[in-house]
Amino acid sequence: MKNSILLIVAFLFSGMFTSAQTFEKQAPQGFDVENKEVPHGKIDTIKYESKSIGTQRKALVYTPPGFKKGEKYPVLYLLHGIGGDEKEWFKNGTPQIILDNLYAKGKLTPMIVVLPNGRAMKDDRATGNIWEKDKVEAFATFEKDLLNDLIPFIEKKYPVKKDRENRAIAGLSMGGGQTLNFGLGNIDKFAWVGGFSSAPNTKEPQQLLPNPDKAKELKLLWISCGDQDGLMPFSKRTSDYLMENKIPHIFYVEPGGHDFKVWKNDLFLFSQLLFKPVDQEKINNLLKSE
Ligand code: FER
């Protein structure tokens, strides 16, 4: 009897040890290289009617290896930057390869990943002057399109779990700002939020979270930025405000600038935390350690 209790305790401890150990601080070499030997997910281009914009809009959807219509999946909405569109992540961040490789190692909860076009306006292509006022404003307009058009479309067309605990939002730069604005503004819709190198479109902390305690309902609040990135102040001020208000979150300052090397690493780390129990304090300490 005593022995079996000891065994159980030892087993539980070894589990804690392995899960901490196997959460690597940085993506290992080859994490983003296609491996023909592993099962692949599938990428579809979908078109949906946007009542908010009055046009048909496009998004890419990645379904995981072994995807079955009869099962129900959580969903991650993954947003691009100011120069991109629905294909930016796919072309430059290769989430399909990173995630295929993670699935092969058993590191992910099976999920659907939606890559939307976050420039919500009639001509949503990343052409001409991408810094023009109406194009920048269209990144804010996307909140309506996402909540009222895209999410309902995905929930009709794909077998997905529809509660907040099964819906995540993350993004890079302008998409990171959108993520924090929309995610923290709609905690009833999203329980998992990840801002990567968030841009100046990130609302000021007081406006972002007038009632900071509300953010305690989140399962994961991830804020990361490269240490060489000029946009660091937007992540830092958000994290500082959360710290002042004792809101659990992960603040990850990583080596690097404003580029896909950083964002691929972010996706690699962030995706492994999704839709499973996460101790943010522990991950924070792990990411800070040498
Ligand atoms: C800015 C600097 C950077 C800005 C947006 C960005 C709207 C976005 C960068 C990106 O998405 O990569 O002043 O203002």
Side-chain angles (χ1 to χ4, degrees), residues 119-155:
R119 190 183 296 96
M121 61 195 294
K122 289 215 157 81
D123 176 5
D124 62 9
R125 296 300 97 192
T127 49
N129 180 7
I130 53 164
W131 299 94
E132 234 163 67
K133 192 163 173 282
D134 60 337
K135 297 199 183 187
V136 172
E137 281 170 2
F139 279 82
T141 311
F142 180 59
E143 182 170 8
K144 268 196 238 133
D145 177 75
L146 173 66
L147 297 180
N148 302 332
D149 301 300
L150 180 56
I151 291 178
F153 177 87
I154 294 295
E155 294 184 347

Side-chain angles (χ1 to χ4, degrees), residues 80-83 131 136 139 172-175 197 199-201 231 258 263:
H80 62 79
I82 198 154
W131 299 94
V136 172
F139 279 82
L172 70 90
S173 202
M174 278 302 268
S197 318
N201 63 330
L231 298 185
H258 196 72
W263 303 323

